[in-house]
C-alpha cells in the first residue's frame, strides 16, 4: 500500500464527513542515539516510529487525530474522529479560521549529505565517543566525562485537499561532549562544541568529522579543571563579547520566540507565553542597532540548519523573511491561519510538527543574525575592545514570558584588557532587556567567523513538542551590559 | 488499550525473534486527547492513539535498546536485530547485572488510578468544559487560554526472567490563564479521576487573580518575604530531586555529595518518595519493572536517604561512598536501561510538621511580603549551591498589613534552594500540585523569608 493511498483514505473520509480543508502527514522517523560516560556506554539505542496525523477544518474550526495503525479501518476511524473533534471545537469559537491561499505542489526533496550516518558502523561511533572520554579523563581533576551522538532520518509524506503531494526526507546528525570537575563546593563544566549535546545540523556523518571533537577534548577538560582556580566573574556594567554559540541562543530566546505570530496573537498564553512584539511594532520598533540584521531562513541556500526544509508542514514553500533590517523590526514568522493578521496574503512557511502525532505550530526555522559586511575576525574584535568580558558556551538560560527580561549564564569567561584576553573567570552571567541589549551591539564579526548552530531541544505547545531550530551567528560585542547578576545576593 | 495478557503474547513473539540470553520489553499504550483554547476560542483540538515496544537485549555484559511502534513481524524483528547489533559492538561491562527476577516486581498493590468517567470523556464534554471557562472569562471581561485534556495510558515491563508488571491509568487535566489588559491569573489541576478537577472553580480563581493584579506597580528588587502557592513551590524544589539518586553521587554531579547525613534544610522540612500516596500517580514499578518502595529522603532537614536502581545499589556498596550515604538498598527508582542518569525519586510527598496554615492565614500574618502564584523558566545557575533563576508570572501581589494590596510587575529571582528551605517560616497543607517546570508532587504552600529578587521586568 502506498503512502498516497493511505492518505487518500483519510482525505476521502473527512471530505465525505464535511471537512472544508484537510491535510495528512505520514511520518517515518528513525534515530540512533549513543552516549558514553567515563569511557563506558551510557545509552545505546535506536528508535523508529511510524504513523499518520489528520488535520481537518469543519465548520471553520480545527480537529486533529493521529494513529500509529495504518490499516484502512484505523485510518478511517482516526479521520472520522478528527471530524468529530473539529465539530466539538466549533462550539466554542469567536472567529472562523481563515487560511491564506497556497498553490498545490508535487515535489520530492531530501536534505543534502555526503555520508549517510546510518551507513557508519556502531563500532566507529562508539570508538570515537570512548576515545573522547579517555582524553577528558586524562586531565587530572576531571570527575565526569560524557560524550554523545545522535543520528536521525525524518521522512514525511504530506497531502492535502488542495492537491499537494510533498515527500521530504531530512538526515540529521549531532554530537558533542562535556567535562565536569567537582572540587570543594563547586561543580564546573565545559562543553564542546556547544552545550545541549554539541552541534546538530541537517547533514550526514561528515559533520562529525568536521567538528574535530577528539582534537579539542584535552583543552576542554583542562578548562573545566582550571575554572576552580579562576576568580568569580565581577559584577557591574561592562562591555560584553559573546562567542557565536551563545549569541545563537540569545537570538533563539530574545528574537526567535517573540517573533512567533501565534504567540503574539495569544495562542500560547497559557504555556509558552505571549510576546512584547505586539502588532503595531511591525516596521516601527527599533529592535537593535544598525548592525543588527536578522532573517528567518528555511531555504537550502542558508545552510544545513535544523530549520532547513523545502516545504513546511502545511505545504508552504521554504522562504527567507527579513526579521530585523538595519535594526528595524520588519517581520514575524507566520502560518496560513495567522498571515492575514499582519496584512499578508501568504504564510511565510514556518509551520512545523514534532512528528505524526502532533499538529504543526508556528516554529522557528533558521533564525540567524547576518555577519558584518566588513572583514572582522574574532582576534580583531578583541583587539578593538579596551575592556570587557568575553563569554563562551551557555550554562543557564531564562527569559520572561513576554521575552523582555533575560538572564544567561555561560560556562567560562575571560577578562578583556587593552585589546587582549586576560584572566579566566568562573560563573559568568549577564542579563538585560531584549531591545536595550540588541541596541547596544556595536560590532559583529564577518562571514568567516559565522556558524550555523543547531538547537535540538526547543519546547513549545500543549501537548509539548520538541523541535530543532537553526541559529547562525558570528561573535559580537555589546556595550554597557549588566554582568554578574546571577550570583548577586547569594 | 493494551492489556497485560496481550503484552505477554507480543513478548513471546519478540522473544522468538531474539538470539540472545536475556530480553526485556517495556510496552506503552496511549489514548490521549487535548482541547486547547485561546482568545476565548478552541483553536487546537487533538487526539493520539499510539503503542510502542521498547526492547532491551542483554548478553555477555552488554546491553542495548530499540524502540518501535510497528508491531508487525517485520517491525519487531528489525527492532530486536537493531538492539542486538548495538549491544554486540560494546565492551563487556564488569558491573553489569542480569535482568530483574520475577520477585522484584512484586509489592503491595497501590491505589487504583484508573477511572471509567475519565476514560469516557468525549470531545463534546471537553468543549462543554471549555465553554464554561470562556463564559467566566466573558463575565469578567477577560480573555482566557488553556487546556482541557484526558488520557488513558497503560505500561508493562516483561522480561525473560519471568517478571511481568502492568499499570493502567487515566488522567484529566485543566490549566487556565485569564488575561486582562495589564495582568493575568492562572490555575492548573489534574487527577486520575476527572471528578476531582473542577474547571469552573479553577476559572473563577484565575479570573480573580487577573482582576486583582490589574495595573501592577513596580517594587524594587531585593530580599522579600514571599508566600509561594503550591505550584510555585513545586517548580522550584523539583530541580533538586534529580540529585537524590545514587548514580548522581557516584558521578559527583549531585549537590548532596558530602552532604548526606547532614542537616541541610530547616527543621520543618520532611520529604518522602511514596508512589502509593493517595494524591500521587504513575506506575508502582520502575524502568526495570522493580517495585517502587517508600523512601524517606529528608527528615527534619537532615538528608537521610537517596534512591537506587539495582545496578547503582551494587556499585555504591563497592564504592568509597558506601559508609557516607545512609542505607543502600534497591528502591525501585531506576530509569529504563541503558541510561546515564541512573535513578531519581519522582513521587515526592512533603510531610508537613503540623500547625499548617492556609495561604489566607499566611497573608494575614505578613506585615510586608509578596504573594506568588506561579514561576516560569526556572534554570539552574549553580549546581552545588543549587542557585536557581527564573521569573514570577500570572499573579504576583504585594501583601501589606496582612492583606493583599495590589499587583506587582514580575520579578526575576536568583535564589539558593538550600537557603530557601532553611528559611521557611510557615507551611500549608500538602496538596497534589501541578506546574510546568517539574513533575507533579504533593507539596504545601510556603512562607519564606529573604527570597532574593534581582531584577524587575516590564509587565
Amino acid at each position: 500500500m502506498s503512502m498516497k493511498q493511505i492518505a487518500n483514505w483519510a482525505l476521502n473520509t473527512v471530505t465525505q464527513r464535511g471537512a472544508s480543508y484537510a491535510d495528512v502527514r505520514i511520518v517515518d522517523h528513525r534515530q540512533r542515539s549513543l552516549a558514553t560516560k567515563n569511557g563506558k556506554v551510557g545509552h545505546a539505542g535506536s528508535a523508529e516510529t511510524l504513523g499518520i496525523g489528520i488535520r481537518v477544518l469543519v465548520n471553520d474550526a480545527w480537529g486533529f487525530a493521529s494513529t500509529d495503525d495504518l490499516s484502512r479501518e484505523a485510518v478511517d476511524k482516526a479521520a472520522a474522529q478528527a471530524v468529530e473533534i473539529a465539530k466539538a471545537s466549533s462550539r466554542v469559537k469567536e472567529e472562523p479560521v481563515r487560511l491564506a491561499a497556497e498553490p498545490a505542489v508535487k515535489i520530492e526533496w531530501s536534505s543534502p549529505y555526503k555520508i549517510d550516518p546510518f551507513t557508519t558502523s556502531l563500532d566507529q561511533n562508539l570508538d570515537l565517543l570512548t576515545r573522547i572520554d579517555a582524553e577528558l579523563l586524562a586531565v587530572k581533576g576531571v570527575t565526569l566525562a560524557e560524550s554523545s551522538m545522535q543520528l536521525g532520518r525524518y521522512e514525511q509524506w504530506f497531502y492535502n485537499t488542495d492537491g499537494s503531494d510533498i515527500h521530504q526526507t531530512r538526515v540529521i546528525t549531532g554530537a558533542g561532549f562535556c567535562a565536569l570537575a567537582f572540587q570543594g563546593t563547586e561543580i564546573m563544566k565545559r562543553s564542546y562544541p556547544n552545550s545541549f549535546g554539541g552541534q546538530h545540523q541537517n547533514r550526514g556523518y561528515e559533520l562529525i568529522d568536521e567538528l574535530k571533537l577528539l582534537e579539542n577534548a584535552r583543552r576542554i577538560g583542562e578548562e573545566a579543571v582550571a575554572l576552580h582556580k579562576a576568580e568569580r566573574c565581577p559584577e557591574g556594567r561592562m562591555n560584553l563579547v559573546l562567542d557565536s554559540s551563545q549569541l545563537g541562543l540569545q537570538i533563539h530566546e530574545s528574537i526567535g520566540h517573540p517573533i512567533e505570530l501565534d504567540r503574539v496573537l495569544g495562542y500560547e498564553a497559557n504555556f509558552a507565553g505571549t510576546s512584547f512584539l505586539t502588532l503595531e511594532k511591525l516596521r516601527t520598533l527599533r529592535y537593535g542597532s544598525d548592525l543588527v540584521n536578522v532573517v528567518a531562513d528555511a531555504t537550502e541556500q542558508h545552510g544545513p540548519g535544523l530549520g532547513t526544509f523545502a516545504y513546511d508542514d502545511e505545504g508552504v514553500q521554504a522562504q527567507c523573511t527579513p526579521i530585523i533590517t538595519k535594526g528595524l523590526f520588519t517581520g514575524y514568522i507566520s502560518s496560513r491561519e495567522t498571515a492575514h493578521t499582519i496584512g499578508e496574503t501568504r504564510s511565510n512557511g514556518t509551520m512545523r510538527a514534532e512528528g505524526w502525532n502532533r499538529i504543526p505550530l508556528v516554529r522557528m526555522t533558521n533564525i540567524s543574525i547576518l555577519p558584518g559586511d566588513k572583514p572582522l575576525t574574532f582576534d580583531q574584535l578583541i583587539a578593538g575592545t579596551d575592556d570587557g568580558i568575553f563569554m563562551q558556551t551557555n550554562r543557564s538560560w531564562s527569559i520572561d514570558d513576554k521575552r523582555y527580561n533575560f538572564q544567561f549564564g555561560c560556562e567560562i569567561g575571560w577578562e578583556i584588557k587593552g585589546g587582549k584576553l586576560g584572566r579566566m573567570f568562573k560563573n559568568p552571567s549577564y542579563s538585560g532587556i531584549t531591545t536595550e541589549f540588541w541596541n547596544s551591539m556595536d560590532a559583529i564579526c564577518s562571514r568567516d567567523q559565522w556558524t550555523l548552530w543547531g538547537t535540538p531541544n526547543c519546547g513549545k505547545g500543549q501537548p509539548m513538542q520538541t523541535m530543532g531550530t537553526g541559529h547562525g551567528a558570528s561573535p559580537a560585542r555589546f556595550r554597557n551590559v549588566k554582568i554578574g547578576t546571577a550570583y548577586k545576593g547569594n | 488499550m493494551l492489556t497485560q495478557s496481550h503484552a505477554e503474547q507480543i513478548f513471546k513473539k519478540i522473544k522468538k525473534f531474539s538470539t540472545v540470553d536475556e530480553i526485556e520489553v517495556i510496552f506503552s499504550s496511549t489514548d490521549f486527547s487535548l482541547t486547547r483554547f485561546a482568545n476565548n476560542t478552541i483553536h487546537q483540538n487533538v487526539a493520539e492513539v499510539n503503542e510502542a515496544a521498547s526492547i532491551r537485549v542483554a548478553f555477555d555484559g552488554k546491553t542495548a535498546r530499540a524502540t518501535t511502534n510497528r508491531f508487525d513481524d517485520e517491525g519487531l524483528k528489525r527492532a530486536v536485530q537493531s538492539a542486538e547489533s548495538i549491544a554486540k559492538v560494546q565492551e563487556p561491562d564488569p558491573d553489569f547485572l542480569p535482568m530483574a527476577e520475577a520477585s522484584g516486581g512484586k509489592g503491595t498493590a497501590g491505589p487504583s488510578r484508573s477511572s471509567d468517567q475519565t476514560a469516557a470523556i468525549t470531545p463534546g464534554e471537553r468543549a462543554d468544559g471549555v465553554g464554561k471557562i470562556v463564559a467566566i472569562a466573558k463575565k469578567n471581561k477577560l480573555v482566557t487560554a488553556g487546556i482541557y485534556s484526558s488520557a488513558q495510558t497503560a505500561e508493562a515491563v516483561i522480561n525473560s526472567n519471568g517478571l511481568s508488571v502492568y499499570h493502567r491509568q487515566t488522567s484529566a487535566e485543566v490549566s487556565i490563564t485569564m488575561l486582562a489588559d495589564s495582568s493575568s491569573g492562572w490555575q492548573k489541576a489534574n487527577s486520575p479521576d476527572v471528578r476531582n478537577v473542577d474547571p469552573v472553580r479553577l476559572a473563577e480563581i484565575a479570573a480573580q487573580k487577573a482582576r486583582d493584579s490589574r495595573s501592577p506597580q513596580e517594587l524594587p528588587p531585593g530580599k522579600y518575604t514571599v508566600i509561594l502557592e503550591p505550584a510555585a513551590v513545586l517548580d522550584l524544589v523539583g530541580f533538586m530531586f534529580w540529585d537524590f539518586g545514587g548514580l548522581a553521587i557516584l558521578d559527583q554531579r549531585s549537590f548532596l555529595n558530602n552532604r548526606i547525613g547532614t542537616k541541610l534544610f530547616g527543621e520543618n522540612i520532611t520529604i518522602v518518595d511514596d508512589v502509593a500516596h493517595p494524591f500521587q500517580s504513575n506506575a508502582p514499578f520502575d524502568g526495570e519493572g522493580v517495585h517502587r518502595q517508600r523512601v524517606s529522603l529528608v527528615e527534619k532537614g537532615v538528608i537521610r536517604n537517596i534512591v537506587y536502581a539495582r545496578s547503582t545499589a551494587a556499585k555504591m556498596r563497592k564504592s568509597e561512598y558506601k559508609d557516607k550515604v545512609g542505607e543502600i538498598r534497591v528502591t525501585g527508582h531506576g530509569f529504563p536501561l541503558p541510561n546515564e542518569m541512573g535513578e531519581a525519586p519522582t513521587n515526592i510527598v512533603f510531610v508537613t510538621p503540623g500547625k499548617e496554615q492556609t495561604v489566607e492565614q499566611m497573608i494575614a500574618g505578613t506585615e510586608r511580603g509578596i504573594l506568588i502564584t506561579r514561576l516560569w523558566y526556572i534554570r539552574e545557575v549553580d549546581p552545588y549551591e543549587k542557585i536557581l533563576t527564573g521569573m514570577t508570572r500570572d499573579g504576583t501581589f504585594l501583601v501589606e498589613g496582612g492583606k493583599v494590596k495590589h499587583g506587582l510587575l514580575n520579578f526575576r529571582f536568583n535564589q539558593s534552594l538550600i537557603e530557601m528551605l532553611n528559611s521557611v517560616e510557615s507551611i500549608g497543607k500538602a496538596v497534589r500540585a501541578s506546574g510546568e517546570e517539574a513533575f507533579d508532587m504533593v507539596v504545601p504552600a510556603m512562607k519564606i523569608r529573604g527570597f532574593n529578587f534581582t531584577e524587575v521586568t516590564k509587565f
Side-chain angles (χ1 to χ4, degrees), chain B residues 418-433:
Chain B
I418 299 170
E419 281 184 23
M420 182 185 112
L421 292 176
N422 269 299
S423 309
V424 179
E425 287 187 353
S426 41
I427 294 187
K429 186 179 168 187
V431 296
R432 178 177 172 80

Side-chain angles (χ1 to χ4, degrees), chain B residues 6-24:
Chain B
H6 188 205
E8 285 171 347
Q9 283 170 18
I10 301 169
F11 176 79
K12 283 178 188 163
K13 190 195 283 188
I14 291 169
K15 198 164 172 242
K16 282 183 191 160
F17 296 144
S18 173
T19 62
V20 302
D21 304 341
E22 291 189 302
I23 191 157
E24 167 201 277

